């Protein structure tokens, strides 16, 4: 089954609608006995450029919001790579371009990563000082199995 992030004009940046739909779709696929593998990719020239910081939607708490609200937002975002990791089917990230922030978290949570020559990677949260919003990247990155080169 192919699962395509589909906001190509925004390099598939995750907004509130995409987050909700992606979480729901991952849950549905996980229980689909007919789905034997999942290929996660992005529409257009990018895999996923991270969270849409320009137009995420009303769910993003302000910096002055209570800590519990900010924590719930982070938990909702971190649930995406966790859902990928928990899938009973193998998940293949087909990285076709920029893969940044939340996109990198999704990619790292996959079982296998296949990358085009145009794939680039980055963790934008570090540059913004958002270490708590890193969606499990510090857990998954050191556990990535690199291919043996002969």
């Amino acid at each position: 089954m192919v699962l395509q992030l589909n906001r190509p004009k925004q390099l598939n940046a995750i907004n509130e609608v995409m987050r909700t739909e992606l979480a729901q779709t991952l849950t549905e696929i996980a229980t689909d006995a007919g789905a034997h593998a999942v290929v996660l990719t992005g529409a257009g020239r990018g895999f996923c450029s991270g969270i849409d910081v320009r137009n995420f939607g009303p769910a993003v708490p302000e910096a002055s919001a209570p800590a519990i609200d900010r924590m719930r937002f982070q938990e909702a975002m971190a649930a995406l790579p966790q859902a990928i990791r928990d899938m009973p089917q193998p998940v293949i990230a087909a990285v076709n371009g920029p893969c940044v922030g939340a996109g990198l978290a999704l990619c790292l949570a996959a079982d296998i990563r296949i990358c085009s020559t145009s794939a680039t990677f980055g963790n934008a949260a570090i540059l913004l000082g958002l270490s708590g919003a890193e969606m499990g990247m510090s857990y998954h990155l050191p556990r990535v199995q690199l291919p043996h080169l002969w």
Side-chain angles (χ1 to χ4, degrees):
M1 175 170 289
V2 176
L3 177 54
Q4 186 177 58
L5 306 176
N6 194 16
R7 295 184 74 219
K9 290 181 182 177
Q10 295 82 13
L11 290 175
N12 302 308
I14 299 172
N15 65 4
E16 186 174 8
V17 172
M18 182 189 282
R19 182 193 68 197
T20 301
E21 290 176 355
L22 182 56
Q24 180 180 352
T25 302
L26 290 169
T27 299
E28 291 170 4
I29 293 171
T31 60
D32 183 351
H36 301 291
V38 179
V39 176
L40 177 64
T41 193
R45 63 182 186 88
F47 179 74
C48 177
S49 61
I51 294 174
D52 190 340
V53 294
R54 292 191 176 115
N55 189 22
F56 184 85
V60 177
E62 296 292 326
S64 60
I68 191 71
D69 294 340
R70 291 178 282 140
M71 185 181 80
R72 286 188 182 122
F73 177 76
Q74 288 184 14
E75 288 173 340
M77 291 304 299
L80 294 176
Q82 187 62 49
I84 291 171
R85 198 75 218 131
D86 292 342
M87 299 281 286
Q89 302 92 340
V91 178
I92 301 162
V95 183
N96 54 316
C99 180
V100 181
L104 180 58
L106 299 177
C107 173
L108 292 173
D111 298 294
I112 298 169
R113 287 149 293 281
I114 299 174
C115 305
S116 75
T117 56
S118 63
T120 57
F121 302 88
N123 183 352
I126 292 172
L127 302 174
L128 299 172
L130 297 175
S131 62
E134 56 94 44
M135 297 175 59
M137 286 184 272
S138 62
Y139 175 83
H140 292 295
L141 184 59
R143 289 164 176 80
V144 170
Q145 297 288 320
L146 296 177
H148 295 285
L149 301 176
W150 304 101

